[in-house]
DNA sequence: CGGGAGCTTGACATTAATCAAGATCGGTGG
DNA sequence: CCACCGATCTTGATTAATGTCAAGCTCCCG
């Protein structure tokens, strides 16, 4: 079933029984460990536009998204910023700077109403020390993120905005799309034009025009944040590059 | 010859006494552990242009660069590729796909004559399991790499090629530059124009013109792979963006 | 010497950014 | 309920940055 989080699961208010835990790095913890982690856990509700953390703040532990979507942004001092990644319900958040023992080097901004648990750093470090599999899970997780970051670097120079947009839509499909019986796809984008632009490394105007162009070519139709994709293959074609035959 | 790495240290042919080890993630190993790792260690010499590993190959362990420089490249199937990072003597190599338990997702190409040790995966996994600090060191290392990758994503859209080139040169300064008594800098780039272009996400022609422009503005002089920077401040200024006063 | 790879330059094409209005949407207070 | 407001989205005209294509050049290596 392709509907990962249309309705937000009722998240239990403690770690040992948290329905998200099996899917996270915390899955390797036993009940006792989860319980002790839970004791110092705190949870906050973050409204759209608000920040879970911001660049420069001290990183004192790990976050876990219980509901909602969070955008990770990097910005320089000149008003430029890039949306580096989305973090969804059921994922841990802000582990990078925690492991680097540095202050936050990115902003985490809620895109929707979001609930976030905060896990005490000292306890996490303790678990990292005595539970090798815990570290290993994070090594895997960070590998994925690094892999995606590198893909994104390559794509930014190798593909035009149009193809990058298509790639983004396809990536969002799994979480935010649903197909009808005829295979036609509806995708509710979790982000604004501005966010899309920052994720693609382009300007808002360029994103809008790109969407128009795709509409003109019958690849999709767009209504605000809702996209209709009548034929997935056409969208997939957009990702491909023109390559002269040998 | 432009002597890329001034003098290559005489690297001992075994892990426990390897002069590089203290600076790597392997520094947390005790003598015994290093010795056992050494038993299955192999070492190869890789000539410029040759690959330590290539995209798609199975990843069976870790590499460690004993001498030389290795470029990590990602490429798509259309002849595009990006140079995502350089790995220098004294650094481990290829850990990302090892932790992800996947085949290599990048190429590692020697830029100079390079010597590389290969460490058996099974032994590494064993150490990861019983030596928490070993994993932690890799978590730190990967954090840095991820941080740099994200910086690079931002920079690619936030700064023009000229500023990106200046940033690259400044990053290479520490390893490949030397200053004379008057603070004038000479930097021997370890890479070709093509490599520079791929690191900047630009075309070779654009890189050449950018260097010309910097010469015209007196920021540096260039002779093949050798750069002269008469005034470091001017180069630092190139990294800055124009920002209107408040 | 000769040949090829890497480097350089020029002319030109193209993508995407910039600047400048509008249009639309969503919330808020009258 | 409606009018207004700011934020977001859209569109058009223009420009700037970079890519593309096509030569020549240079240097190293056989």
């Amino acid at each position: 079933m392709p509907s990962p989080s249309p309705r937000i699961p009722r998240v239990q208010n403690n770690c040992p029984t948290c329905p998200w835990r099996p899917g996270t790095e915390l899955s390797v913890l036993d009940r006792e460990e989860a319980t002790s982690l839970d004791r110092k856990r705190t949870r906050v509700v973050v409204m759209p536009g608000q920040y879970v953390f911001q660049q420069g703040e001290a990183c004192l532990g790990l976050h876990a998204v219980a509901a909602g979507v969070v955008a990770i942004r990097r910005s320089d001092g000149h008003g430029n910023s890039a949306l580096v990644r989305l973090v969804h319900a059921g994922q841990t958040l802000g582990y990078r700077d925690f492991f680097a023992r540095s202050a936050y080097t990115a902003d985490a901004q809620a895109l929707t109403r979001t609930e976030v648990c905060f896990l005490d750093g000292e306890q996490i470090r303790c678990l990292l020390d005595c539970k090798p599999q815990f570290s290993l899970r994070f090594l895997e997780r960070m590998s994925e993120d690094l892999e995606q970051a590198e893909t994104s670097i390559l794509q930014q120079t190798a593909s035009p905005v149009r193809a990058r947009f298509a790639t983004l839509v396809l990536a969002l499909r799994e979480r935010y799309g649903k197909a009808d019986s005829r295979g036609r796809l509806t995708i509710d984008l979790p982000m604004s034009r501005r966010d899309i632009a920052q994720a693609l490394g382009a300007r808002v105007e360029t994103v809008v025009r790109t969407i128009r162009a795709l509409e003109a070519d019958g690849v999709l139709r767009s209504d605000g944040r809702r996209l209709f994709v009548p034929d997935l293959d056409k969208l997939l074609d957009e990702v491909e590059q023109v390559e002269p035959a040998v």
Side-chain angles (χ1 to χ4, degrees), chain A:
Chain A
M1 82 218 79
S3 55
S5 50
R7 25 183 164 52
I8 296 169
R10 209 47 270 136
V11 177
Q12 299 299 320
N13 210 16
N14 71 49
C15 295
T17 63
C18 175
W20 289 124
R21 191 159 69 87
T24 71
E25 295 82 11
L26 303 167
S27 65
V28 299
L29 305 185
D30 59 32
R31 184 168 203 83
E32 187 188 353
E33 290 161 336
T35 304
S36 89
L37 206 53
D38 190 65
R39 243 171 254 132
K40 289 189 127 184
R41 198 187 92 255
T42 58
R43 175 189 280 233
V44 292
V45 173
V46 187
M47 296 309 285
Q50 291 187 326
Y51 291 91
V52 180
F53 54 75
Q54 289 191 68
Q55 214 153 342
E57 290 175 10
C59 174
L60 305 170
L62 284 182
H63 295 270
V65 182
V69 204
V70 177
I72 307 296
R73 299 197 147 83
R74 294 207 115 210
S75 14
D76 60 19
H78 305 282
N80 304 301
S81 84
L83 201 167
V84 171
R85 143 178 11 113
L86 295 180
V87 181
H88 303 276
Q91 295 188 307
T92 52
L93 168 68
Y95 61 82
R96 213 263 315 288
D97 297 314
F98 180 74
F99 293 127
R101 297 161 188 279
S102 76
Y104 284 113
T105 56
D107 298 331
Q109 185 185 35
L111 294 185
T112 63
R113 180 183 185 284
T114 295
E115 296 184 34
V116 179
C117 291
F118 176 79
L119 305 171
D120 178 61
E122 201 171 321
Q123 289 184 294
I124 296 289
R125 283 193 211 289
C126 163
L127 287 169
L128 289 168
D129 263 353
C130 57
K131 197 91 180 181
Q133 291 164 12
F134 191 53
S135 309
L136 283 176
R137 289 297 307 269
F138 275 110
L139 283 170
E140 281 176 51
R141 165 74 185 282
M142 214 181 327
S143 298
E144 285 168 34
D145 283 353
L146 182 52
E147 207 268 335
Q148 282 186 23
E150 290 176 3
T151 299
S152 160
I153 290 174
L154 173 59
Q155 218 197 187
Q156 216 147 74
T157 65
S159 321
V161 172
R162 178 162 166 148
R164 303 212 292 274
F165 178 77
T167 304
L168 175 66
V169 173
L170 288 169
L172 293 171
R173 175 168 66 113
E174 187 172 337
R175 270 172 202 277
Y176 301 98
K178 50 173 182 280
D180 72 7
S181 52
R182 318 187 63 77
R184 291 172 307 196
L185 206 58
T186 301
I187 302 174
D188 285 307
L189 302 175
M191 61 218 306
S192 68
R193 298 287 188 257
R194 184 162 197 274
D195 292 328
I196 296 172
Q198 292 187 346
L200 299 181
R203 296 299 149 143
V204 177
E205 298 94 316
T206 304
V207 171
V208 171
R209 286 189 246 266
T210 301
I211 294 174
R212 285 298 98 78
L214 287 166
E215 283 188 310
D217 295 346
V219 179
L220 48 77
R221 281 182 305 121
S222 127
D223 177 21
R225 293 190 178 191
R226 177 162 289 180
L227 295 183
F228 304 92
V229 181
D231 182 358
L232 186 57
D233 288 335
K234 277 195 195 164
L235 188 56
L236 288 165
D237 285 346
E238 293 294 332
V239 176
E240 296 298 318
Q241 298 286 76
V242 275
E243 180 74 0
V246 188

